[in-house]
Amino acid sequence: MSSPIICFGQQPCGFYPKRFLVAKIRTARKLQQEIGGKIVFFYHDSDHDPRETRTILRHRTTNDPAQLNFAFENKTQRKFSPLYAKKIPEGWQEKTILQLPNYIDHSLINIFKATHEKTVADFCLQMYRGMGLLDGIEVVRSGDPEFRKGACDISDFYVDIPYESEIVRARVAGDVLRLHEGGNAFLELPMVEFSKEQINPTRDTRLRWMQSVIHCTHYIAGAGEQAYLRKEEAPEIEFVTREDIDLSDEAYVELPSAAKKEEETIEHR
């Protein structure tokens, strides 16, 4: 019998991760303690929605929520580029550092200061690693060309193509490509040739596409995600509901004990 593969998936969800992602990680670790196997994080950095990385922090004095996010180099990147291709402009990190003491302690700010990735997806992933959240967890990325090459064919998908000197994520719609401008508005582009390395899934085809490469035995998801997953396309998976967590859409601003001790050691050197 093959060893269990416990998987959870998530887009980059803030430079400090949303609490529901941490709930998925905790659920995966608890399950691993029970059944063994390995944990795989399906990091869906092909998504293009800039709202995914909104980071909600609470003011340390008033407890009022504040919504922070990345800045982007231009409008095309912000609206249409996949998260792995959204570049962080110079100065954003320095400006954000000045705001953070209002919301979090220095141990978390130091991790932010030590992160120097150039794209939104890379920055978020390095932050999660710096916080000690992904220790012992394998990360696979939907934007990885090798992952895409190994995935199954799907009928409903996006392709990453050049547009206005950027990489954008366009949905295939018959004989045209569409960029979603918001609401019911779309910008239509002519069809171009593309390869499998440019293809990435829609919400409805993501599970089957992911599973064709990862072959997980267990998949952890919140109630909202489970409502739209096409479970019938992956009957071999046992679906596990993530543990409950309060303020699930806000940022997780705690450190695992081991990571906190390491950060305190660095701070006092």
Side-chain angles (χ1 to χ4, degrees):
M1 184 176 178
S2 59
S3 180
I5 300 174
I6 302 164
C7 182
F8 60 91
Q10 187 59 52
Q11 296 95 330
C13 60
F15 45 87
Y16 294 102
K18 289 184 173 62
R19 292 170 60 81
F20 61 68
L21 173 58
V22 176
K24 291 180 181 180
I25 295 170
R26 287 176 175 171
T27 305
R29 293 195 187 280
K30 289 177 182 176
L31 184 59
Q32 185 185 42
Q33 289 177 350
E34 296 172 7
I35 67 173
K38 69 175 182 177
I39 301 173
V40 177
F41 176 19
F42 176 64
Y43 190 56
H44 186 37
D45 58 352
S46 298
D47 200 311
H48 63 282
D49 191 340
R51 295 172 297 181
E52 292 290 346
T53 53
R54 288 174 178 168
T55 304
I56 299 175
L57 299 170
R58 292 268 173 179
H59 196 281
R60 300 175 78 176
T61 302
T62 66
N63 202 41
D64 291 337
Q67 192 175 103
L68 283 67
N69 204 346
F70 292 93
F72 306 98
E73 286 198 341
N74 55 60
K75 184 178 178 181
T76 298
Q77 270 191 28
R78 181 182 66 80
K79 293 179 69 174
F80 304 129
S81 290
L83 291 164
Y84 73 77
K86 292 188 194 294
K87 298 173 185 174
I88 302 169
E90 290 188 14
W92 169 81
Q93 187 171 17
E94 291 74 14
K95 290 177 182 177
T96 304
I97 286 170
L98 296 177
Q99 300 178 63
L100 291 179
N102 293 319
Y103 306 104
I104 54 177
D105 63 31
H106 287 291
S107 60
L108 286 161
I109 295 173
N110 288 340
I111 295 170
F112 186 89
K113 288 180 178 178
T115 303
H116 302 294
E117 307 300 327
K118 302 300 183 184
T119 68
V120 166
D122 287 347
F123 195 98
C124 289
L125 186 60
Q126 188 56 40
M127 284 290 296
Y128 307 164
R129 285 176 167 149
M131 293 174 70
L133 297 171
L134 300 180
D135 293 351
I137 294 177
E138 179 183 343
V139 178
V140 297
R141 302 175 64 157
S142 66
D144 180 358
E146 291 302 313
F147 186 97
R148 293 176 173 186
K149 280 173 64 177
C152 66
D153 293 334
I154 47 179
S155 58
D156 189 14
F157 56 91
Y158 292 88
V159 291
D160 296 344
I161 60 168
Y163 174 72
E164 293 187 346
S165 302
E166 304 291 348
I167 298 297
V168 298
R169 186 179 187 231
R171 189 160 185 170
V172 175
D175 58 356
V176 298
L177 299 171
R178 286 182 173 176
L179 298 176
H180 187 210
E181 295 199 284
N184 295 319
F186 294 88
L187 176 63
E188 287 198 352
L189 304 177
M191 182 60 68
V192 297
E193 290 187 5
F194 54 85
S195 66
K196 197 168 185 180
E197 291 89 338
Q198 294 168 266
I199 292 174
N200 56 98
T202 65
R203 188 181 75 167
D204 289 342
T205 56
R206 190 163 67 224
L207 177 65
R208 183 164 62 90
W209 187 81
M210 176 207 78
Q211 177 65 352
S212 70
V213 177
I214 296 176
H215 305 293
C216 67
T217 57
H218 298 73
Y219 187 81
I220 294 163
E225 185 180 358
Q226 292 214 31
Y228 69 75
L229 288 174
R230 296 192 171 183
K231 299 179 182 180
E232 69 279 2
E233 295 186 351
E236 71 279 11
I237 297 177
E238 181 177 335
F239 292 89
V240 180
T241 301
R242 68 158 172 82
E243 67 177 38
D244 290 332
I245 192 167
D246 62 347
L247 305 173
S248 63
D249 204 42
E250 296 190 12
Y252 182 82
V253 287
E254 303 169 34
L255 287 176
S257 56
K260 191 165 187 176
K261 286 179 182 177
E262 181 179 349
E263 179 55 41
E264 288 172 350
T265 300
I266 293 171
E267 191 172 352
H268 289 95
R269 278 177 184 167

